[in-house]
Amino acid sequence: MSTRLADLTTLRVGGPAREVVVAETEADLVSAVRDADAAGSPALVVAGGSNLVVGDAGVDATVVLVRTRGVSVEADSCAGAWVTVAAGEPWDEVVARAVAEGWAGVEALSGIPGSCGATPLQNVGAYGQEVAEVIARVRTYDRVAGVQRTFMAADCGFGYRSSRFKSDPGRYLVLDVAFQLRLSPTSEPVRYAELARSLGTDVGSRAPLVEVREAVLALRRAKGMVLDDADHDTWSVGSFFTNPVLAQAQARLLPEDAPRYPVDDGHVKTSAAWLIERAGVGRGHTLGTAASVSTKHSLALTNGGGASTADVLALAADVRERVRDTFGIGLEPEPTLVGCALPAC
Ligand SMILES: Cc1cc2nc3c(=O)[nH]c(=O)nc-3n(C[C@H](O)[C@H](O)[C@H](O)COP(=O)(O)OP(=O)(O)OC[C@H]3O[C@@H](n4cnc5c(N)ncnc54)[C@H](O)[C@@H]3O)c2cc1C
């Protein structure tokens, strides 16, 4: 029986894959993708499946499952910890180890599901930290040139939920990622007001790494943002939409109390969750299918059990339309959509 993408993704939707290859070594990973490319047959790289929405008809492709493991560490008091992590390592295990070892820089990224190799793709971020701040280099296999290529951080094109790897979809297979972390039992300065409040400290202060990790995990659990088989609010891809980055002129049209975070001179980021709620979409909102807005966070679209991809996308289209009708802003999906699409907004 063929494997369904619903069994490989955290939203638990998606039809069958033509074939699934499990790659446990880097050599197997590269050859699975290279062989498929050479044969002109599509290969879809899947790791944790936590940022992927696949159509109900499935994919006429070889799904290559990234299951490579390995962490190597060089640490000294001058350069800090240089931690090189294989693509298939679960991200939260890397964070847990960093906190236990006293390596600062990723503590606020606790509880994010998925693999280490996917983190550079959308420059994973949460609670005031992004991986771009600590990535030293990303080693890849370039599927177009058919060679390995290593990118130093400055060449990765990192931006808000973006990178050169995401802008050139499918071209770069991430093999491993090297992080440079500060040796310290205390965190980087806490930048996120909600996190600072829950730590009982001020924005800009540092706190013990362990306490930051625990506080982040508690905040995330309350929002359904830590995977839990028993909790349908976590059967999602996390945030379904990115926070819109607006030109100053467009940002000026937002209501006065809308959140505004300066990005650069010309742009302002606002909150997609705020827009959704203010457009009248309540938590738990549904179109009568098993897909619903999370009851804990308005930015997560969830599968209550038995939802199809079409159900999720119809809900996403409805949310997006209401935000557009209210604010004139088109929300962009955060996950990768394969074999399915959101109707134009
Ligand atoms: C409950 C929940 C909470 C979340 N919270 C956050 C959050 O706070 N912040 C955040 O940024 N994200 C968050 N996410 C999204 C997701 O966890 C991250 O984007 C994660 O990095 C995806 O990793 P993955 O291994 O699951 O990728 P997958 O879903 O397997 O793949 C996602 C994309 O990356 C590609 N890909 C995967 N591995 C590789 C590789 N080695 N080389 C090249 N391409 C690859 C795939 O082809 C696909 O296009 C959340 C998701 C969930 C379900």
Side-chain angles (χ1 to χ4, degrees):
M1 212 175 75
S2 59
T3 305
R4 295 173 65 243
L5 268 299
D7 301 324
L8 300 174
T9 53
T10 55
L11 186 57
R12 306 185 194 207
V13 297
R18 180 167 30 126
E19 189 193 355
V20 177
V21 175
V22 181
E24 292 183 349
T25 66
E26 187 178 301
D28 287 349
L29 178 59
V30 172
S31 64
V33 169
R34 193 180 45 209
D35 293 351
D37 290 346
S41 121
L44 173 65
V45 175
V46 177
S50 63
N51 213 20
L52 194 57
V53 181
V54 177
D56 291 313
V59 280
D60 186 20
T62 300
V63 167
V64 179
L65 278 181
V66 186
R67 295 292 181 259
T68 52
R69 302 298 294 253
V71 179
S72 74
V73 183
E74 287 169 51
D76 70 59
S77 53
C78 234
W82 180 281
V83 186
T84 305
V85 189
E89 285 284 340
W91 170 250
D92 195 46
E93 290 182 17
V94 176
V95 177
R97 176 157 176 202
V99 166
E101 301 264 6
W103 305 332
V106 288
E107 55 283 352
L109 302 176
S110 294
I112 298 177
S115 64
C116 187
T119 60
L121 265 94
Q122 71 156 5
N123 180 16
V124 156
Y127 294 96
Q129 279 182 350
E130 289 179 339
V131 286
E133 294 159 20
V134 288
I135 284 180
R137 61 144 188 74
V138 179
R139 192 165 59 86
T140 71
Y141 171 71
D142 178 346
R143 294 170 64 179
V144 172
V147 293
Q148 276 196 29
R149 285 182 71 185
T150 296
F151 297 96
M152 302 311 284
D155 300 319
C156 290
F158 287 128
Y160 166 66
R161 294 298 170 275
S162 65
S163 69
R164 78 178 300 153
F165 315 112
K166 189 165 180 179
S167 334
D168 207 345
R171 174 163 181 176
Y172 297 105
L173 172 64
V174 176
L175 302 176
D176 66 28
V177 184
F179 300 89
Q180 195 170 17
L181 304 168
R182 202 168 52 82
L183 300 185
S184 169
T186 54
S187 69
E188 293 302 330
V190 174
R191 294 200 197 108
Y192 204 80
E194 186 188 28
L195 177 58
R197 268 197 306 279
S198 79
L199 286 162
T201 187
D202 298 319
V203 169
S205 303
R206 300 176 193 267
L209 292 177
V210 176
E211 286 180 23
V212 173
R213 175 166 170 81
E214 278 166 11
V216 167
L217 287 174
L219 287 170
R220 294 184 68 94
R221 277 197 195 97
K223 296 175 187 176
M225 287 291 181
V226 177
L227 292 183
D228 176 355
D229 279 350
D231 180 0
H232 283 283
D233 273 324
T234 75
W235 292 25
S236 74
V237 288
S239 304
F240 197 91
F241 299 105
T242 53
N243 290 321
V245 176
L246 308 172
Q248 299 274 10
Q250 201 181 8
R252 275 195 286 276
L253 301 177
L254 286 169
E256 217 157 274
D257 57 338
R260 290 174 170 81
Y261 312 98
V263 174
D264 55 38
D265 280 354
H267 294 89
V268 173
K269 189 165 75 178
T270 188
S271 157
W274 187 93
L275 296 174
I276 291 169
E277 284 175 19
R278 288 291 281 267
V281 179
R283 296 185 187 176
H285 171 70
T286 165
L287 299 178
T289 69
S292 71
V293 173
S294 162
T295 65
K296 301 189 185 88
H297 198 300
S298 48
L299 202 43
L301 305 187
T302 64
N303 177 356
S308 64
T309 308
D311 295 336
V312 174
L313 293 183
L315 181 66
D318 177 63
V319 170
R320 205 161 67 145
E321 204 173 299
R322 288 168 191 248
V323 169
R324 190 208 48 210
D325 291 350
T326 312
F327 298 105
I329 293 173
L331 294 177
E332 291 296 333
E334 183 182 297
T336 305
L337 307 186
V338 175
C340 59
L342 260 181
C345 184

